[in-house]
Structures are given as structure tokens and as C-alpha cells.
Amino acid sequence: AAGVIQSPRHLIKEKRETATLKCYPIPRHDTVYWYQQGPGQDPQFLISFYEKMQSDKGSIPDRFSAQQFSDYHSELNMSSLELGDSALYFCASSIEGGGSYNEQFFGPGTRLTVL
Amino acid sequence: AQTVTQSQPEMSVQEAETVTLSCTYDTSENNYYLFWYKQPPSRQMILVIRQEAYKQQNATENRFSVNFQKAAKSFSLKISDSQLGDTAMYFCAFARPTTGTASKLTFGTGTRLQVTL
């Protein structure tokens, strides 16, 4: 079965540089989530999209922006990178709950290292 | 806002034994969903088990079962016949049902489980 695809899997950047993380959801999934997991921490919700519109926003820095495109893939853009941005970034996708809750399927994550 | 608390940072269990991981949560919602996720050294997030709050019956998945106490806002995970492959970080998580929108997961801080010979 198809899974969530994230690219790149690993990324090394210098401070103050820009990074773009990509997420390709499972086919027919209309909802995408981004989570940030720092070293030794739990995943923290950043932002979500439903049907290409921003749905919810968590603890996402103003330096970060994201969008969901017409083919439902999503990109997380991170500018003016700081050392503290070094983390594992997960994308997850699901089908909208319709009054219930549908499982979020997680991608393998992108490991971002800022030097 | 919902909060999820895991008070056991680390636990250890011998192979074939049973272990229980604790989780408490706080919410004003009446209908919600609770989960246990496993994160092995590969860092992949794997759903272990889920519980709908409106269901009184505790969920079970093979060797994994939960003890859901809605009034106490407690949601513990029992792993029976522990195996070396169960060694991982375990996160308790909360989500609300949605209509026409997304529903984020709120995670606890995790419990690192080590299964030993």
C-alpha cells in the first residue's frame, strides 16, 4: 500500500539559510499535518491543511510557512534557520473525519540539521 | 486546550513479562479519541492502539490492551508477553473528532520502554 512520502529524508543547512520540506500524502487523502520533533522530545503540531486550505496552526514560528497544492502535496518552507530548528519533521495525512476521526498516517520524517 | 501527561520517562521489563504504561489527560470534550504510538529507533511513528471515548469497552490489539477510565481521565497501555521488538518510545496522544477540518494530535512526553532478556 502507498505510504506518505517525504523528501528529502535528510537535510543539512547553515544558520540563516532556507529549507523546503516536501510531503506527498497517501492518494485520496485530503488532509495534511506537519509535526516537529526535537531531540528527546514529543512531536509538536505545527500546521495542518484540509482541502488545500489551512485548517489549524500550532507552535509554528513566523519564519516558517506552508501550503497545500492542488495535487494535495504540501511544502513546509523554513527561512532564517536557527540551530534550534534542528529536528525531525513529520508529515502525516488522513481523510477528513466526517464527524469522527480517521487515522493519521505518518511519513518517515525529514531530519533537518542546522549547523 | 487538551493536555496529555506521561509520568514515567523510562521503564524496563523482562522478555515475556507484562508491563503497563500510564497516561493521563485533561479535556473538557465529551467525545474524543486516545492513542498509543510506538516510535522505535528508526523514528517511524507507528499506531499501536486507539480508543474512542464513547466506547466503554477497552480496546485490544493482540498483545496490547488499554485500560480506559473516562471519569479519571486515565488511559494506560498494557503490553503482555513483552518482546525485544517492543523496545521503543511510546507516546500517548489525544485527538478530537472533526467535520470539514483537520484534527491535530496532542502527544504526551513519552515513555522509553526497554525490554531485556
Side-chain angles (χ1 to χ4, degrees), chain B residues 20-40:
Chain B
T20 299
L21 280 56
S22 301
C23 172
T24 58
Y25 60 93
D26 189 25
T27 182
S28 58
E29 307 279 343
N30 188 50
N31 190 22
Y32 48 87
Y33 296 80
L34 296 165
F35 311 86
W36 281 97
Y37 278 86
K38 171 185 178 181
Q39 189 176 43

Side-chain angles (χ1 to χ4, degrees), chain A residues 42-59:
Chain A
D42 56 289
Q44 293 288 318
F45 170 72
L46 290 178
I47 195 166
S48 61
F49 295 88
Y50 166 64
E51 279 294 343
K52 294 156 279 185
M53 298 286 289
Q54 182 179 306
S55 179
D56 193 7
K57 207 170 181 180
S59 49

Side-chain angles (χ1 to χ4, degrees), chain A residues 21-32:
Chain A
L21 279 54
K22 297 185 179 182
C23 170
Y24 298 87
I26 292 171
R28 292 183 293 283
H29 281 197
D30 50 20
T31 307
V32 166

Side-chain angles (χ1 to χ4, degrees), chain A residues 77-95:
Chain A
N77 296 292
M78 310 160 69
S79 63
S80 301
L81 286 168
E82 301 174 356
L83 296 178
D85 296 329
S86 295
L88 186 60
Y89 290 83
F90 285 108
C91 172
S93 75
S94 71
I95 299 173

